[in-house]
Amino acid sequence: MSKVIPQPVASAVSQLPAMLQGHALALLEDVDWSTLPEVKENNMLWASLPGVWACSEFVARSCLRHPKLLQELITSGALRQGLDTPAFKTEVWTALSKAADEAQAKKCLRQIRMREWVRIAWRDLAGWADLDEVLETVTSLADELVGAALQWCWAHTEQDIGQGLAGAGPFVVLGMGKLGGRELNFSSDIDLIFFYLQDDPIQGQDTHGNHEFFVKLSRQLIKLLGDTTEDGFVFRVDMRLRPNGSTGPMALSFDAAEHYYQIHGREWERYAMIKARVIAGDPDSGNELLQRLHPFVYRKYLDYGAIGAIRKLKRSINQELTRKGIADNIKLGPGGIREIEFIGQVFQLVRGGREPALQSRSIRPTLKQLSSLGQMTATAVTELSAAYDFLRRTEHRLQMVADRQTHVLPKDELGQARLAYSMGYSSWREYEPALRRHMQKVHGHFSQVFTAPQGEQDTDRDNPLLAVWLQELEPEHAMAALARAGYKKDPAQVYLLLKGLHSGSAYNSFAVEGRQRADTLAPLLIAAAGLTATPELTLSRLARVVESIGRRSSYLALMIENPMVLSQLVKLCAASPWIADWIAQHPLLLDELLNPVDAYSPPSREQLSQELASCLLPVEAGDLEREMEILREFCNRHVLHVAAADIGPGLAATAVARQITEIAEVILEASLGLAMQAMEARYGCPHCESEQGAYRPGFAVIAYGKLGSHELGYGSDVDMIFLYQGCGASAVTTGERAVANETFFLRTGQRLIHILTTRMHGGILYETDMRLRPSGQSGPLVTQLQAFREYQTGRAWTWEHQALVRARAVAGDAAVARAFTEVRRDVLCRQRDATVLAAEVAGMREKMRGTREPHDPDLFDIKHDRGGIVDIEFMVQYWVLRWAHDTPRLTEHTDNVAILTALEAEGLLPAEQIRVLAGAYERYLSTAYRLKLMEAGSLIGLEAVDGLPQQIARYWNEIFPSSDKPGAGS
């Protein structure tokens, strides 16, 4: 036996830290170098040996105890290559199939496991494998070892019971935790749950049922994997995550599992099921089971109650650590691995049902998605990812020392030197600060996500506002407390409001947890509203929001967990009853208040389009209901952004108008695309033939009114018509269920209106007005381009040409849009008699005014009264129709201010008149938007408009002589 240490090995020993050199030499003394391959052929391997052995007594002792193991690893080249999973699977099952009894099977599995774990540790400690390889290799080996063990157990359990495979039905092993997430650590327990398809009796058996068979199978599998023998163990198996935990049945049928999770499933079980993965048994049945359990894990709504549940779980972990006196735990301690996982998984529980991209079993892809979705900053994700890599590598190096599951930093000098060296540091003094920096960053991010002062503490029983809410005070004492909180104007009214809310159906419909959340939130809302300029009014609006939440107490959790949401909600409700009602109708919008920067910074047109496309992309083709809900959520969300910016930092009226219009345009484009897809799937594509060849005719949406002029307001209808290219009555679509092109386009238009106007959980998108189509309500819903041209040039009324001034294509085929623009330009540029035109425009205006009800003469209707918005619009339309023949450039714009600017540029109107008209129009528009947000109608005091109506009326009377005066009867 040669005791002389080869030169490359000795040289490598000398490169180790002094603390590790003696330890390595002591281990190397027991090696019989004569039995090993030539040194010169394996210099890199020999150079790695002292460092690997010094850092892992498990590797060293395994190689010394089994000399052939090291020889095999060297000669086979296994140390220099990654895992070949298919080959390993074949090897394991081939070896295991020869085991005649349980003892032989155990020995076989344990020897294979030891060899592979030595290989993994060696490659990792030598620097030949990165973290991804280690995690994937350990996980894949676990999958294959469990799968092979299950096969062996199944065959022997069948022999015991005398049952064939077909009779018992499918069996599924779910891997949970890090095994399920493909992130298994080096020396880890494996968390398993066992399920089988159904409880039917086994075919041909009177005494044995599926349950007995699968319980016995499960117990045998656990024993085969987990028993400790002279060869060690394969995996310690933890079954505590199964339904009802340690007291629950060892295996459960699919139906029983679904019932359990729906009725009894707890928040931590949702957390655990995020990582559930089929690792053995019947994969198709297992995936079917996971689909059935999917709604339990990922809620369709934003579930902020998960934050409190994970906070409680983290608190219990901290208490356990304190009890055990374990301070330096890199997994469970502050800033440890578990906090990184909690951060990712709480976002998954809260948002995963609405963001399929977050439904990953692994933490690192989840963190990347959080950055992509804007839920975390790129810096935070980079820091968390770097810390995760550092901590997981540290975890592996700790566990590779003795193949023992540990997460506690070493206290002894040897252990510290070993860990520092294995992590690439020259000493513990260098390594520990790097570790602490990572953990401090992790804990800082964890605190940002989970720490809310009102969420951390139990309800303050001494808070007088809580006592008011709980109706524990006499009315006079309650009203005194409310007055001190800011409700000095009418505390009695507020007291009655709170009493009604506390005894109302919304509060009483909550379960115990929901009431607890309401009791926590109510004093916060009362106090915050009391600080506003109009506390009674603000609180009444907040009460409507809370009542609208109904049984979704997760929205209460959102406000409790996020002070920013609470403060922004109070601010918006104080400023606008319209916003309060908008949020009350669509509580999902509360999530938009998390980031005030986003709430007050509406995106660009391009950003809107990209966002909506990405929201619709994951939806399964043909799921129109889900697509329609996404459209509504998108609309509601972005209209809120505009309104918040309007009352917050402030937006110009034209900016508000353009933002709301662009939201509608993006929605119309997407909605038309969905309608077209549905029709094409049913009927094929429309088809035309010409002398130049076959072509596909187009379809377009033409916007009129406020949508056409880029001036939509809050809650505006959309005026539009549908145009299409025709090519004869015989033209049909290309599908098996072919229909005439005209029928195809008619049904496309009907589907588009259905998408826009159907009332769903998210409300409707837009009320639509199609009365401006040729022949009005009596005309066809869709119009052929040529028929539209003929109608506009031959039969249309002057008021219809007025409407064309603000018309433009907003969605659909570009060729149809160009054709419409040509028709519009030709019609608007016709030569007209100015006197006749003026009479016709004035006549239509008077007809409109005749339908209005009189109002207080001291008030001014900014839209309909003389000198208001409609008068300016009619004048602009008159000027375009009068002068476009000689000045076609007037037709290039559809919005009133841009047309007024063009009139000045062409020298058709004096600059002072344009300044007054444009300034009045923008001021009126801004006032109209603010009145809408305040739900105050369209009437304001005449003194508030500084004589503008009189100025506008003078311009009007110069064109359309009239004795009318601005104000009430006008």
Side-chain angles (χ1 to χ4, degrees):
M1 176 176 177
S2 174
K3 293 286 187 178
V4 179
I5 299 177
Q7 191 278 328
V9 178
S11 177
V13 170
S14 68
Q15 302 299 313
L16 294 175
M19 177 69 67
L20 299 182
Q21 288 183 18
H23 183 66
L25 288 171
L27 292 169
L28 296 174
E29 287 178 356
D30 293 331
V31 178
D32 183 358
W33 302 99
S34 63
T35 63
L36 299 176
E38 286 292 328
V39 172
K40 63 182 180 181
E41 296 176 4
N42 300 279
N43 278 346
M44 280 189 65
L45 189 147
W46 292 130
S48 70
L49 188 149
V52 170
W53 283 26
C55 293
S56 175
E57 292 193 11
F58 160 70
V59 172
R61 299 300 180 195
S62 296
C63 291
L64 291 172
R65 191 177 301 116
H66 307 282
K68 291 184 178 179
L69 170 62
L70 180 57
Q71 185 176 8
E72 178 190 347
L73 289 172
I74 295 172
T75 56
S76 67
L79 289 176
R80 300 308 312 274
Q81 62 190 24
L83 177 68
D84 183 345
T85 303
F88 179 77
K89 183 175 184 177
T90 301
E91 176 195 351
V92 173
W93 180 240
T94 300
L96 197 57
S97 63
K98 299 175 183 176
D101 56 29
E102 186 179 277
Q104 292 179 8
K106 286 179 177 179
K107 191 173 190 64
C108 172
L109 289 170
R110 282 151 181 75
Q111 289 180 345
I112 291 175
R113 189 264 188 196
M114 179 189 64
R115 182 196 68 197
E116 291 301 315
W117 260 242
V118 167
R119 188 180 65 81
I120 293 167
W122 197 307
R123 287 183 52 75
D124 187 28
L125 292 168
W128 301 336
D130 60 14
L131 178 64
D132 285 328
E133 179 185 316
V134 175
L135 296 176
E136 179 59 32
T137 301
V138 174
T139 302
S140 295
L141 288 169
D143 286 357
E144 299 308 328
L145 289 168
V146 173
L150 175 62
Q151 282 184 280
W152 189 90
C153 290
W154 190 298
H156 286 74
T157 305
E158 286 180 331
Q159 293 174 9
D160 292 343
I161 295 182
Q163 163 54 35
L165 175 63
F171 180 73
V172 171
V173 179
L174 289 188
M176 311 292 286
K178 287 187 168 61
L179 174 58
R182 303 200 70 85
E183 300 163 332
L184 197 62
N185 56 52
F186 183 79
S187 185
S188 175
D189 295 354
I190 57 173
D191 297 290
L192 303 180
I193 311 181
F194 303 132
F195 298 101
Y196 55 91
L197 182 59
Q198 54 196 6
D199 279 316
D200 296 343
I202 295 176
Q203 297 173 8
Q205 296 290 328
D206 296 328
T207 59
H208 299 291
N210 275 358
H211 182 72
E212 181 181 350
F213 173 80
F214 287 122
V215 165
K216 180 164 184 156
L217 175 67
S218 302
R219 293 189 186 282
Q220 188 168 10
L221 176 60
I222 293 170
K223 189 177 180 183
L224 187 61
L225 294 171
D227 281 359
T228 300
T229 71
E230 62 180 8
D231 296 301
F233 58 86
V234 184
F235 294 107
R236 295 170 293 266
V237 179
D238 191 333
M239 295 292 297
R240 289 175 295 177
L241 293 181
R242 70 185 188 269
N244 287 310
S246 300
T247 63
M250 190 61 68
L252 210 62
S253 70
F254 285 13
D255 288 343
E258 187 173 16
H259 175 80
Y260 170 84
Y261 287 114
Q262 286 180 350
I263 305 301
H264 305 290
R266 290 156 292 182
E267 205 68 32
W268 70 262
E269 289 175 298
R270 289 182 60 211
Y271 166 80
M273 289 299 292
I274 287 175
K275 292 181 176 290
R277 179 173 63 89
V278 182
I279 67 160
D282 185 290
D284 292 336
S285 297
N287 289 325
E288 176 196 334
L289 173 64
L290 291 178
Q291 282 300 311
R292 289 168 65 172
L293 300 182
H294 189 271
F296 165 70
V297 183
Y298 294 110
R299 308 279 167 80
K300 289 184 178 181
Y301 54 88
L302 295 169
D303 185 12
Y304 282 90
I307 297 177
I310 290 186
R311 183 189 293 114
K312 290 178 182 177
L313 181 58
K314 174 61 176 173
R315 188 181 299 128
S316 68
I317 291 172
N318 290 343
Q319 291 170 348
E320 182 68 8
L321 287 176
T322 302
R323 186 182 66 81
K324 291 181 177 180
I326 302 173
D328 293 329
N329 190 304
I330 63 164
K331 177 182 179 182
L332 303 178
I337 295 167
R338 184 58 57 82
E339 286 194 352
I340 302 174
E341 294 171 336
F342 278 161
I343 290 171
Q345 287 159 349
V346 76
F347 280 104
Q348 289 180 292
L349 291 177
V350 171
R351 311 185 67 88
R354 307 190 70 82
E355 300 283 1
L358 290 177
Q359 295 176 13
S360 170
R361 295 183 177 95
S362 303
I363 184 61
R364 287 184 293 177
T366 299
L367 292 175
K368 289 180 182 178
Q369 286 299 326
L370 289 173
S371 175
S372 300
L373 294 170
Q375 296 301 311
M376 296 191 74
T377 65
T379 299
V381 168
T382 298
E383 290 179 350
L384 289 171
S385 298
Y388 184 80
D389 182 277
F390 191 94
L391 291 168
R392 289 305 306 272
R393 289 189 295 112
T394 295
E395 174 187 48
H396 286 158
R397 306 297 157 70
L398 287 172
Q399 295 180 354
M400 287 173 182
V401 172
D403 189 16
R404 185 171 62 88
Q405 187 179 34
T406 180
H407 300 92
V408 180
L409 294 173
K411 299 294 185 183
D412 61 294
E413 290 186 7
L414 175 60
Q416 292 177 345
R418 178 187 279 143
L419 177 58
Y421 176 75
S422 67
M423 288 293 291
Y425 291 84
S426 61
S427 68
W428 182 255
R429 183 174 296 178
E430 287 188 6
Y431 165 77
E432 188 183 26
L435 172 68
R436 299 303 178 192
R437 284 194 296 271
H438 280 299
M439 296 183 76
Q440 286 168 3
K441 288 179 180 178
V442 169
H443 192 60
H445 292 302
F446 178 85
S447 297
Q448 287 183 353
V449 173
F450 287 93
T451 302
Q454 63 266 44
E456 286 285 356
Q457 300 171 3
D458 294 331
T459 302
D460 182 1
R461 303 299 303 183
D462 296 328
N463 185 341
L465 295 180
L466 175 62
V468 173
W469 165 251
L470 295 176
Q471 304 294 299
E472 294 176 346
L473 299 180
E474 293 297 325
E476 61 271 21
H477 296 305
M479 286 185 278
L482 289 169
R484 289 193 298 272
Y487 300 92
K488 295 179 173 61
K489 181 179 179 182
D490 195 349
Q493 177 191 357
V494 175
Y495 174 73
L496 292 174
L497 171 68
L498 294 173
K499 184 176 181 180
L501 194 60
H502 186 268
S503 60
S505 59
Y507 179 78
N508 286 288
S509 68
F510 288 140
V512 173
E513 184 180 51
R515 291 192 188 188
Q516 290 172 346
R517 290 174 180 172
D519 294 343
T520 300
L521 178 63
L524 302 172
L525 287 176
I526 298 168
L531 299 174
T532 65
T534 54
E536 292 84 3
L537 199 56
T538 301
L539 187 62
S540 69
R541 294 169 186 170
L542 288 167
R544 290 205 301 276
V545 174
V546 172
E547 284 185 312
S548 73
I549 289 172
R551 296 183 180 179
R552 289 284 175 82
S553 70
S554 62
Y555 292 122
L556 304 181
L558 167 58
M559 288 184 275
I560 294 168
E561 296 293 345
N562 296 277
M564 182 60 69
V565 173
L566 184 64
S567 63
Q568 293 304 309
L569 177 64
V570 172
K571 176 181 177 181
L572 294 174
C573 287
S576 167
W578 185 88
I579 293 180
D581 285 342
W582 193 248
I583 295 173
Q585 294 170 35
H586 315 293
L588 186 65
L589 293 175
L590 288 169
D591 185 57
E592 296 303 307
L593 306 182
L594 279 168
N595 187 343
V597 175
D598 290 342
Y600 296 116
S601 303
S604 67
R605 171 73 161 73
E606 182 181 2
Q607 289 172 325
L608 287 169
S609 185
Q610 291 174 348
E611 179 187 333
L612 182 54
S614 66
C615 289
L616 290 168
L617 185 63
V619 181
E620 187 176 347
D623 189 353
L624 181 62
E625 181 177 352
R626 180 64 188 136
E627 290 166 337
M628 290 168 66
E629 284 291 9
I630 287 174
L631 289 170
R632 281 150 180 77
E633 292 165 10
F634 175 87
C635 179
N636 296 338
R637 178 167 69 247
H638 286 290
V639 170
L640 175 65
H641 286 180
V642 177
D646 194 5
I647 67 167
L651 291 175
T654 50
V656 173
R658 190 163 292 273
Q659 285 285 347
I660 297 177
T661 300
E662 288 178 349
I663 293 168
E665 290 174 3
V666 169
I667 288 171
L668 279 168
E669 285 180 352
S671 300
L672 178 58
L674 297 176
M676 279 282 190
Q677 290 171 14
M679 294 304 102
E680 289 171 3
R682 184 176 300 177
Y683 305 117
C685 298
H687 183 78
C688 286
E689 296 283 351
S690 70
E691 294 180 359
Q692 288 74 35
Y695 67 95
R696 174 175 174 162
F699 177 95
V701 177
I702 311 300
Y704 278 75
K706 295 291 187 184
L707 177 58
S709 61
H710 303 278
E711 294 166 345
L712 275 185
Y714 303 110
S716 290
D717 298 351
V718 293
D719 299 294
M720 57 187 181
I721 67 170
F722 303 142
L723 299 181
Y724 72 94
Q725 287 175 301
C727 55
S730 61
V732 297
T733 60
T734 58
E736 293 183 6
R737 298 173 57 190
V739 296
N741 284 354
E742 181 179 5
T743 301
F744 176 91
F745 291 125
L746 170 63
R747 294 179 181 173
T748 297
Q750 291 170 334
R751 176 60 68 96
L752 175 57
I753 292 174
H754 170 77
I755 291 172
L756 297 176
T757 62
T758 299
R759 185 165 297 279
M760 304 183 70
H761 180 71
I764 65 170
L765 283 169
Y766 300 100
E767 296 286 2
T768 59
D769 190 338
M770 304 291 296
R771 290 175 295 179
L772 288 173
R773 67 185 187 268
S775 300
Q777 289 180 313
S778 63
L781 183 65
V782 296
T783 306
Q784 193 174 334
L785 265 173
Q786 185 58 34
F788 178 76
R789 178 184 291 276
E790 292 171 357
Y791 178 84
Q792 289 290 342
T793 56
R795 303 193 303 280
W797 297 83
T798 298
W799 67 265
E800 292 178 286
H801 290 171
Q802 285 181 247
L804 269 183
V805 171
R806 297 202 289 177
R808 62 192 177 93
V810 292
D813 184 74
V816 176
R818 288 192 297 270
F820 163 77
T821 302
E822 292 173 5
V823 173
R824 174 181 176 272
R825 185 176 58 246
D826 291 347
V827 171
L828 296 182
C829 290
R830 289 171 60 180
Q831 191 162 14
R832 292 174 169 86
D833 183 288
T835 303
V836 173
L837 175 64
E840 291 177 337
V841 172
M844 174 54 66
R845 180 71 184 100
E846 292 308 307
K847 183 181 294 186
M848 290 174 60
R849 292 177 62 240
T851 64
R852 306 297 300 175
E853 294 290 331
H855 57 74
D856 187 327
D858 293 328
L859 298 177
F860 175 65
D861 187 322
I862 61 171
K863 182 174 182 181
H864 296 288
D865 277 352
R866 175 66 71 229
I869 288 175
V870 177
D871 277 4
I872 298 175
E873 291 172 344
F874 267 58
M875 285 190 284
V876 168
Q877 292 160 13
Y878 164 78
W879 286 321
V880 172
L881 293 176
R882 177 180 175 182
W883 287 321
H885 174 72
D886 298 318
T887 314
R889 286 185 59 192
L890 295 179
T891 68
E892 293 177 1
H893 302 284
T894 62
D895 60 294
N896 289 285
V897 173
I899 294 173
L900 286 169
T901 303
L903 287 165
E904 180 187 359
E906 296 296 332
L908 296 170
L909 290 174
E912 176 61 19
Q913 184 175 356
I914 294 298
R915 184 188 66 79
V916 172
L917 287 168
Y921 192 79
E922 291 183 339
R923 183 169 175 179
Y924 288 162
L925 205 60
S926 179
T927 303
Y929 291 151
R930 291 305 174 99
L931 289 172
K932 178 65 176 179
L933 291 177
M934 295 306 297
E935 295 185 342
S938 60
L939 297 175
I940 58 174
L942 277 169
E943 72 281 357
V945 285
D946 300 327
L948 281 174
Q950 288 81 3
Q951 289 182 278
I952 305 304
R954 283 197 296 272
Y955 295 140
W956 177 273
N957 290 329
E958 290 172 3
I959 308 169
F960 315 107
S962 169
S963 60
D964 290 331
K965 294 183 173 65
S970 59

